[in-house]
Amino acid sequence: MERERCAAIVLAAGSGKRMNSSVKKQYIEIYDHPVLYYSLRAFETFGIDEIVLVTGKDEIEYCRKEIVERYGFANVSAIVAGGKERYHSVYEGLKAVKSCQYVFIHDGARPCIDQETLNNCLKDVREYGACVAAVPAKDTIKIADKEGFTQITPERSKVWAVQTPQVFEYDLIKKAYEIMFASSHELKITDDAMVVENFTDKKVKLTNGNYQNIKVTTPDDLPLAQIYLMQNE
């Protein structure tokens, strides 16, 4: 059976202030390759039909020459400028997708994404229409009040740490974003699932991810990413 056409939006427009580096986190090199390289490679290996890379306006040509062309990423169909917030960048990516049934939205600073997680996500988006890679929380989680005191302790078995990719039927997520931007709702959107949860009646499935699928955010994350990438080679 021929697989449905799939696209991926890879986000690399963040400033990476918490990395405390003159080089943005997505371009820091691990084993002589930028972090972003590994995220793009994962989707090419998976056989994604088209990849839209979203980056800073001033970095488009750099990404084209030093990453896409240098490493021969044949499935990158467009490199577009992101927006002020993450959700603006996602929407720019959605508009640049040519044609697909399902779209994977992934942080370019998650270089350790594995093929099994991508397969799990594809399976669940086919069944449920919306899913996010996630792992059960290992620690007890506390919800704090405004003064920083414990307010609620949710049952640990119900708490998951959400990752990317977040995968949706393309028409569903595109419409959800259009409704959000047309509304007057002021929401602190931190992931794409929130857009679907708030502006459609579709439930989002939590898909089994991988604890190694970390986001490179601070200097402490780099040694871990090095270990995980070496183990997966």
Side-chain angles (χ1 to χ4, degrees):
M1 186 179 87
E2 187 176 349
R3 193 171 81 176
E4 308 89 335
R5 185 172 173 82
C6 295
I9 296 170
V10 177
L11 302 168
S15 61
K17 293 178 181 178
R18 285 177 286 178
M19 185 56 69
N20 296 321
S21 169
S22 59
V23 179
K24 293 185 177 181
K25 60 187 179 183
Q26 58 268 32
Y27 306 128
I28 291 175
E29 291 197 350
I30 300 177
Y31 302 124
D32 299 322
H33 291 80
V35 166
L36 179 58
Y37 159 86
Y38 295 100
S39 297
L40 293 172
R41 185 183 67 169
F43 285 103
E44 287 240 345
T45 302
F46 189 60
I48 287 287
D49 297 285
E50 65 171 306
I51 301 170
V52 174
L53 175 58
V54 185
T55 188
K57 181 175 67 173
D58 297 333
E59 297 159 19
I60 290 177
E61 281 308 305
Y62 173 84
C63 285
R64 188 186 315 281
K65 293 177 181 178
E66 297 300 324
I67 295 179
V68 175
E69 293 179 2
R70 180 179 181 184
Y71 298 110
F73 288 121
N75 293 353
V76 175
S77 60
I79 306 173
V80 301
K84 181 181 178 182
E85 302 291 344
R86 182 187 186 279
Y87 55 87
H88 293 115
S89 295
V90 172
Y91 190 51
E92 292 304 315
L94 288 169
K95 291 188 292 184
V97 170
K98 293 177 181 177
S99 173
C100 71
Q101 184 169 353
Y102 303 122
V103 59
F104 291 66
I105 302 171
H106 186 64
D107 296 323
R110 287 188 189 270
C112 304
I113 179 64
D114 61 293
Q115 298 296 298
E116 183 178 0
T117 296
L118 295 178
N119 273 309
N120 290 343
C121 287
L122 181 58
K123 175 179 176 293
D124 278 357
V125 76
R126 283 171 172 161
E127 184 170 355
Y128 304 106
C131 67
V132 297
V135 289
K138 294 182 178 180
D139 300 318
T140 297
I141 303 298
K142 300 286 186 180
I143 307 299
D145 62 18
K146 292 180 180 180
E147 287 74 41
F149 292 95
T150 297
Q151 188 174 45
I152 302 171
T153 304
E155 187 179 337
R156 189 168 63 183
S157 63
K158 295 181 179 179
V159 178
W160 290 61
V162 173
Q163 306 172 337
T164 67
Q166 304 199 353
V167 192
F168 309 91
E169 294 174 344
Y170 176 80
D171 291 342
L172 171 74
I173 188 67
K174 179 84 178 315
K175 186 65 175 177
Y177 265 91
E178 289 171 347
I179 294 171
M180 180 182 74
F181 282 120
S183 74
S184 58
H185 289 250
E186 290 292 332
L187 296 173
K188 292 184 178 180
I189 299 295
T190 56
D191 76 343
D192 307 293
M194 287 182 67
V195 182
V196 170
E197 292 158 4
N198 283 280
F199 297 101
T200 79
D201 58 2
K202 175 71 73 173
K203 286 187 174 182
V204 179
K205 176 68 173 176
L206 292 167
T207 297
N208 285 325
N210 189 320
Y211 287 102
Q212 292 187 3
N213 183 21
I214 62 171
K215 187 175 183 180
V216 176
T217 304
T218 68
D220 291 341
D221 298 322
L222 285 170
L224 275 177
Q226 289 175 336
I227 292 169
Y228 296 152
L229 287 168
M230 180 179 287
Q231 289 176 347
N232 293 329
E233 285 298 317

